[in-house]
Amino acid sequence: MQPSTQSPCRPTLEQLLTVFQESVESGYLSQPPSRSRTRFYQRLFSPLVVLWAMVYQRLNEDHTCDGVVSYLASGKADPLDEKHHQPLSQRMKSESNSAYCQARRRLPLQVFSEALRGTAEVSRKWLGSAADWLGHPVALLDGSTIALRGWPELATHYGQATNQHGTAYWVLLRVVVAFSAFTGALQAVAEGPERTSEAALTPQVLANGVPGTLYVGDSNFGIYSVVQAAVHFGMHVLVRLTAPRAGKVAG
């Protein structure tokens, strides 16, 4: 018998599907968004199915849309759609990936934001006070810049990088994220053009946090506007200060 090549520290896709159901399906996506003007019809690829399919597409070795359709047709994702008498895999009548690609384009960004918020809330319930420090949840703030291909839509929305030689091909995306200090799980994310500072994006992250959370950040977050936003949303912050800023605060 061949030994298993699955790392004990790396869950299988079947295990991840179970966690996905428990953390996402029990929350926002099990109830079509009433806060959004977007209407969801009972199509073959529901928001829940599409969201998991996109997670699967990223984690699977075959990243193609055809690979996702083959996976859904195999019946392994049928537990995601138990509202119908006929399983999802049996209701799929075509091997084409067209319907799946269209479903991805229809899915509003709000669904991703709410799903992330839902998973963060569920994980906090699972952990309880075990992940707190002196009664406060702790999250780590971090920022980064991501290079995206210069597709026209992205270039129009975010703008392209420039230097002394002119306009570059790449589109630069600025992101700020909050991670759980206990589990490392992503809790919130905000993004914008590269010209937007990390501090300017931070209030969007804080707005999605649990009041009373302690956010820890480096010197990029050690400015007044971040502290002001934290106070506004009922948060706490522990941030580094640059030497000039520290000198002004110390008088």
Side-chain angles (χ1 to χ4, degrees):
M1 183 176 67
Q2 294 291 333
S4 174
T5 58
Q6 181 68 34
S7 169
C9 298
R10 183 177 181 181
T12 64
L13 286 170
E14 289 74 17
Q15 292 172 326
L16 289 176
L17 176 58
T18 301
V19 175
F20 176 85
Q21 284 184 271
E22 294 177 357
S23 60
V24 178
E25 190 175 16
S26 61
Y28 174 80
L29 289 185
S30 63
Q31 303 172 357
S34 59
R35 286 171 286 177
S36 172
R37 294 184 179 180
T38 303
R39 300 186 66 181
F40 288 86
Y41 299 96
Q42 295 300 322
R43 292 185 170 98
L44 178 65
F45 295 110
S46 65
L48 185 66
V49 171
V50 176
L51 187 60
W52 168 248
M54 295 180 72
V55 173
Y56 171 86
Q57 187 172 2
R58 178 64 182 86
L59 298 178
N60 190 38
E61 293 181 356
D62 181 1
H63 299 315
T64 65
C65 293
D66 286 336
V68 173
V69 173
S70 297
Y71 166 76
L72 295 176
S74 71
K76 294 182 179 180
D78 284 351
L80 289 176
D81 190 10
E82 298 178 342
K83 296 181 180 180
H84 294 85
H85 297 293
Q86 190 177 23
L88 170 67
S89 57
Q90 296 182 19
R91 289 187 287 117
M92 296 178 62
K93 305 300 183 183
S94 173
E95 297 181 356
S96 171
N97 63 33
S98 176
Y100 168 61
C101 293
Q102 293 178 33
R104 291 197 312 173
R105 287 194 293 267
R106 286 196 305 267
L107 201 62
L109 182 61
Q110 180 188 357
V111 170
F112 297 94
S113 301
E114 294 290 352
L116 179 58
R117 182 183 302 174
T119 56
E121 291 176 353
V122 171
S123 64
R124 281 192 291 266
K125 291 179 181 178
W126 286 346
L127 294 170
S129 60
D132 292 351
W133 177 78
L134 297 181
H136 298 283
V138 182
L140 307 179
L141 287 173
D142 196 13
S144 185
T145 302
I146 301 174
L148 307 175
R149 291 192 176 276
W151 302 121
E153 296 86 352
L154 295 176
T156 299
H157 185 76
Y158 294 107
Q160 290 173 281
T162 59
N163 56 28
Q164 67 273 23
H165 302 292
T167 302
Y169 167 77
W170 298 102
V171 173
L172 297 182
L173 173 70
R174 181 87 70 191
V175 295
V176 172
V177 297
F179 298 98
S180 167
F182 187 82
T183 66
L186 181 65
Q187 294 182 339
V189 60
E191 51 85 12
E194 187 267 342
R195 60 181 178 273
T196 306
S197 68
E198 294 179 3
L201 292 172
T202 301
Q204 299 179 42
V205 173
L206 299 180
N208 290 316
V210 175
T213 297
L214 171 63
Y215 287 91
V216 182
D218 60 22
S219 58
N220 285 329
F221 302 97
I223 64 174
Y224 176 77
S225 63
V226 171
V227 177
Q228 183 184 42
V231 172
H232 174 75
F233 292 112
M235 309 297 183
H236 304 278
V237 289
L238 176 62
V239 292
R240 291 181 179 270
L241 295 176
T242 61
R245 292 172 188 162
K248 290 182 180 180
V249 172

